[in-house]
């Protein structure tokens, strides 16, 4: 949520106006927050040539004037004389000629701690936060949620490297899953053993790259997805073992001349019916 607006040379409403326009077409959570903070964003202003700079911000032409909104790193790349801020949160600087910055602070999602506890109950051994936000904010949020490892100030490429490191060091027989929703998360979702996209706010790129897509942004659905997947795989393994076991037994009996016709029919149709009935138990998960 927007916590503070610090204009420079223009008023606060105009600063929000510019930021919302630059972020008009982005699905990044920060962009959505800025648009929500300026409810009159859909006016007659002309927005064109929008370009997202991964992990840094967005630049666009607003009424024929280039406006850049993003991190201090992006400001430096365009030569803007940005000003620091003491507020905790993500600082979104706005520049055509520097006009100020907006403080966007993360709010802990209701039920997040309980959702993470459910993940641990389902066997998740380690929880890692990978974020492009500043270290102080990330540590505060991570500490409040009991995250095991918090890594901040990461660009998309840094997230990929972090996940590759986790994959390389994971214990035998374990899986690294990555949960994300933004376009910047797409490479990491594709690289992880299992990529999980949050579908409600997820970008098309993230959804396309993921192995699992959750149809809303509820963290509790992650533990539920793990439980459903394990139960489904267990039932599939039961069916495989049952079908192969019965058919092998019938083959042995047939080789000994002890397999009547009804047993052959059971080995084909009967096994299929029982396997389908067993599989239907997934509907009750």
């Amino acid at each position: 949520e927007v916590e503070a607006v610090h204009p420079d040379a223009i008023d606060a409403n105009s600063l929000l106006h510019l930021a919302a326009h630059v972020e008009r077409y982005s699905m990044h959570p920060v962009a959505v927050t800025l648009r929500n903070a300026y409810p009159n964003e859909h006016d007659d202003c002309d927005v064109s040539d929008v370009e997202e700079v991964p992990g840094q911000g967005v630049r666009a032409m607003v009424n024929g004037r280039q406006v850049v909104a993003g991190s201090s790193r992006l400001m430096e790349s365009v030569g803007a004389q940005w000003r620091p801020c003491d507020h905790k949160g993500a600082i979104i600087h706005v520049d055509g000629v520097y006009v100020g910055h907006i403080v966007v602070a993360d709010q802990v999602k209701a039920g997040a701690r309980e959702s993470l506890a459910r993940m641990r109950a389902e066997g998740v051994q380690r929880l890692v936060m990978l974020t492009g936000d500043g270290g102080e904010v990330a540590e505060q949020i991570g500490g409040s949620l009991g995250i095991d490892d918090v890594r901040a100030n990461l660009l998309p490429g840094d997230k990929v490297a972090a996940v590759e490191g986790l994959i390389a060091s994971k214990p035998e027989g374990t899986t690294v899953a990555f949960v994300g929703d933004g376009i910047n998360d797409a490479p990491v979702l594709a690289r992880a053993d299992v990529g999980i996209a949050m579908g409600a706010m997820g970008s098309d790129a993230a959804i396309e790259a993921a192995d699992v897509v959750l149809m809303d942004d509820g963290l509790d659905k992650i533990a539920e997805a793990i439980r459903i997947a394990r139960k489904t795989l267990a039932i599939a393994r039961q069916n495989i073992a049952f079908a192969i076991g019965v058919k092998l037994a019938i083959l042995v009996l047939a080789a000994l001349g002890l397999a009547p016709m009804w047993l052959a029919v059971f080995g084909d149709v009967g096994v299929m019916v029982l396997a389908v009935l067993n599989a239907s138990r997934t509907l009750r998960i």
Side-chain angles (χ1 to χ4, degrees):
E1 295 179 357
V2 170
E3 290 208 339
V5 180
H6 298 158
D8 189 341
I10 61 175
D11 59 66
N13 191 63
S14 297
L15 178 57
L16 281 172
H17 173 233
L18 278 177
H21 277 318
V22 174
E23 303 277 7
R24 174 178 287 182
Y25 302 110
S26 174
M27 291 306 296
H28 191 281
V30 169
V32 174
T33 298
L34 292 173
R35 292 198 299 272
N36 290 339
Y38 186 78
N40 300 320
E41 185 263 330
H42 285 291
D43 53 23
D44 295 330
C45 290
D46 178 59
V47 181
S48 61
D49 299 331
V50 179
E51 177 189 359
E52 289 206 38
V53 183
Q56 297 185 38
V58 182
R59 59 166 61 97
M61 299 296 291
V62 180
N63 292 336
R65 165 192 172 195
Q66 186 179 66
V67 181
V68 182
S71 66
S72 57
R73 188 177 303 174
L74 182 58
M75 292 298 108
E76 290 172 357
S77 71
V78 299
Q81 298 299 313
W82 61 277
R83 299 182 184 179
C85 180
D86 295 331
H87 280 62
K88 292 181 180 179
I91 312 301
I92 310 303
H93 300 273
V94 181
D95 172 72
V97 174
Y98 189 71
V99 291
H101 57 257
I102 301 166
V103 182
V104 178
D106 286 324
Q107 308 296 317
V108 176
K109 190 187 298 285
R113 178 178 286 276
E114 292 76 10
S115 297
L116 296 182
R118 284 188 61 194
M119 291 183 212
R120 292 190 189 276
E122 290 294 339
V124 173
Q125 300 172 9
R126 185 182 178 199
L127 292 168
V128 182
M129 180 198 295
L130 306 179
T131 177
D133 291 341
E136 191 173 0
V137 174
E139 290 289 348
Q140 178 184 348
I141 298 294
S144 69
L145 293 175
I147 302 292
D148 301 311
D149 185 358
V150 176
R151 307 185 191 185
N153 297 306
L154 300 181
L155 294 174
D158 300 327
K159 290 184 180 181
V160 173
V163 167
E164 287 178 339
L166 292 170
I167 292 173
S169 62
K170 68 180 181 180
E172 187 72 25
T174 62
T175 297
V176 173
F178 178 83
V179 184
D181 59 10
I183 188 171
N184 294 336
D185 292 328
V188 205
L189 288 164
R191 180 64 186 90
D193 294 333
V194 178
I196 303 175
M198 308 296 284
M201 292 183 62
S203 70
D204 291 342
I207 291 171
E208 184 68 26
D211 303 294
V212 180
V213 179
L214 305 181
M215 299 311 293
D216 60 31
D217 58 355
L219 290 175
D220 58 313
K221 297 298 175 62
I222 299 171
E224 186 176 350
I226 294 171
R227 184 173 63 86
I228 290 172
R230 284 180 172 159
K231 188 72 172 178
T232 302
L233 285 172
I235 290 173
R237 292 188 183 103
Q238 291 167 13
N239 283 345
I240 291 170
F242 172 68
I244 292 177
V246 170
K247 290 179 182 296
L248 285 176
I250 292 174
L251 284 173
V252 171
L253 291 173
L256 298 175
L258 302 175
M261 180 62 69
W262 68 264
L263 192 58
V265 173
F266 172 77
D268 184 17
V269 179
V271 167
M272 181 273 292
V273 170
L274 291 175
V276 169
L277 291 174
N278 189 43
S280 68
R281 293 193 298 123
T282 57
L283 299 174
R284 301 198 305 270
I285 297 177

